[in-house]
Amino acid sequence: MKSCLHAAAAIAALSVASAARADSAPSDLQELVVVANRTPQPLDHVGQSVTVLDTAELKARQAVVVSDLLAATPGVAVSRNGGVGGVTALSIRGAETDQTVVVIDGVKMNDPSSPGGGYNFANLLAGDIARIEVLRGAQSTLWGGQAIGGVVNIVTAEPSSPAGGSAMVEAGSLATAYARAAVGGRTARIGWRLAGDYFTTDGVSAARSGTERDGFRSSGLSGRLEAEPVQGLRIDLRAVYAANRNDADGFPPPSFSLADTPEFGRTRTLAAYSGAQFDLAGGGFRNRIAFAWTDTYRRTFDPLQARTQVTFDAVGRNQRWEYQGGLDLPRGWLATFGAETEGSTLRTSAPDAFDPDPRPSRAKARIDGIYVQAIGDAAPGVTLTLGVRHDRHDTFGDHDTGQAA
């Protein structure tokens, strides 16, 4: 599959019109969406089912955690174990919770060390998010085999003025407080933004008859730097970091039913992205090459456990190289094609009183893929989308996927 990647680059440096900005596409009075075709397209040209939560709607809803926003989205079901900070799973159109791809600023956030490589929405605050696109239904042709249920594409705010910033603080019951701030600027060649947030609450007890509140603390930081050193070449650097602590109720003996316990967990997540976009053929052939990396570290603790307080320890890492190209074809058609290689590793262990330092379990996997899709007007008022993908998994072999809309 390396040869496929080399061939793709040689063919002309394929590209990913990445978590591309809608304003980088030609102006259009209609709303543009990225998630359906990985390139900005007018909403009425998208054959798939998409819901867009833009900046105005996010501000109007005043939600703190993203899962509360998604719970009100058609076709999306959200389940949470207890109050804010409890394990939160999302299902689209009845698919399994690990069959949704979550993307933040072009970085796939799914945790390889979680069951099925799913994503825990408990730790994701609304923070500096400017836009959320929810794509429903099987979308594996462009987004890979895990996108059986759909895709959640999240884009943080971009700098829009030469210099500016914002800050907000609010508080409420249950000792809840939320603060966030952002600062950034843009010139003709450089744009940058730095944002941070902090949330705390005493929470509620997950146990039906419990009285001990299960609190939640979360702090996050995000940043981006965009540079255009020469006309037609753009460099993007982005990073998102979050650190969380959540209290939890357990199942103590002898009844082994949910009850108040002092157990708690800690999660740290770092996601980073670097990419270059360049245009050829007078802008008719657009390219992007990118590298994305995620590191998720999870630990749970039980202060009452003998010999060791750590009850679970997990690290999941994902490294992904991408190339995507967009080529304008005759009669207004657009071809999107790309190649990508993704490597995932995990390490988990479950210490207990009998074995406080067990040998950790380790695993790794690699998957390479190439894809191509064409979209255009087949007839007046009818837009046709056709795509095909080939994947090679180092354990499960070769598989092909197709899509029509």
Side-chain angles (χ1 to χ4, degrees), residues 13-388:
L14 298 166
S15 128
V16 170
S18 78
R21 305 179 307 172
D23 60 6
S24 67
S27 61
D28 196 303
L29 295 178
Q30 303 179 54
E31 185 171 31
L32 300 180
V33 298
V34 175
V35 66
N37 298 297
R38 295 184 71 158
T39 55
Q41 292 288 326
L43 189 57
D44 68 353
H45 279 56
V46 175
Q48 299 90 335
S49 180
V50 182
T51 295
V52 178
L53 305 178
D54 59 16
T55 301
E57 186 163 3
L58 294 177
K59 288 183 178 179
R61 294 198 186 184
Q62 293 292 300
V64 175
V65 292
V66 171
S67 59
D68 288 346
L69 294 167
L70 297 176
T73 303
V76 176
V78 174
S79 60
R80 184 168 66 199
N81 180 20
V84 176
V87 175
T88 306
L90 179 144
S91 174
I92 299 180
R93 288 187 172 177
E96 298 294 333
T97 57
D98 56 4
Q99 293 174 341
T100 296
V101 170
V102 181
V103 180
I104 299 180
D105 285 343
V107 181
K108 181 180 176 182
M109 299 298 297
N110 296 63
D111 178 12
S113 68
S114 66
Y119 180 75
N120 180 12
F121 279 87
N123 304 314
L124 184 58
L125 303 183
D128 203 39
I129 293 174
R131 182 180 179 88
I132 301 176
E133 298 178 352
V134 181
L135 178 61
R136 294 181 289 275
Q139 308 297 330
S140 297
T141 300
L142 292 184
W143 293 99
Q146 195 168 6
I148 296 173
V151 182
V152 177
N153 182 40
I154 297 171
V155 182
T156 59
E158 298 185 10
S160 57
S161 60
S166 63
M168 181 274 291
V169 177
E170 60 185 12
S173 59
L174 303 177
T176 301
Y178 183 38
R180 64 184 186 186
V183 62
R186 179 178 293 280
T187 66
R189 295 291 186 184
I190 295 178
W192 64 278
R193 185 176 178 91
L194 184 65
D197 58 18
Y198 177 76
F199 176 79
T200 179
T201 182
D202 281 353
V204 297
S205 176
R208 182 172 299 179
S209 60
T211 58
E212 178 221 22
R213 293 177 176 178
D214 299 322
F216 178 60
R217 312 285 183 273
S218 177
S219 56
L221 187 67
S222 64
R224 63 165 64 217
L225 175 64
E226 306 163 359
E228 190 174 2
V230 297
Q231 186 68 30
L233 174 63
R234 177 180 164 188
I235 307 297
D236 290 325
L237 301 175
R238 310 168 196 154
V240 177
Y241 173 79
N244 309 280
R245 175 194 159 123
N246 66 291
D247 295 333
D249 289 328
F251 298 84
S255 64
F256 292 99
S257 59
L258 188 64
D260 285 338
T261 63
E263 296 177 47
F264 66 95
R266 295 185 183 274
T267 303
R268 293 201 303 267
T269 303
L270 175 63
Y273 169 95
S274 61
Q277 300 185 46
F278 56 95
D279 300 337
L280 301 173
F285 182 24
R286 296 163 298 280
N287 301 270
R288 184 180 70 101
I289 299 174
F291 174 72
W293 175 70
T294 59
D295 190 333
T296 304
Y297 175 66
R298 297 181 293 135
R299 261 190 167 187
T300 59
F301 301 84
D302 184 356
L304 301 180
Q305 182 169 277
R307 299 185 67 185
T308 176
Q309 293 187 0
V310 179
T311 58
F312 184 71
D313 186 359
V315 177
R317 293 189 174 95
N318 188 288
Q319 296 183 348
R320 183 183 183 91
W321 286 95
E322 299 179 326
Y323 167 82
Q324 183 179 315
L327 181 64
D328 293 335
L329 301 175
R331 299 185 179 182
W333 281 71
L334 170 66
T336 301
F337 44 90
E340 53 197 27
T341 181
E342 178 180 314
S344 302
T345 61
L346 67 88
R347 188 206 71 208
T348 62
S349 64
D352 56 33
F354 301 99
D355 188 1
D357 189 22
R359 183 177 180 179
S361 300
R362 301 177 185 270
K364 62 180 180 179
R366 173 174 168 169
I367 184 170
D368 304 315
I370 55 176
Y371 59 88
V372 61
Q373 176 180 276
I375 180 171
D377 293 333
V382 179
T383 301
L384 180 64
T385 304
L386 298 171
V388 64

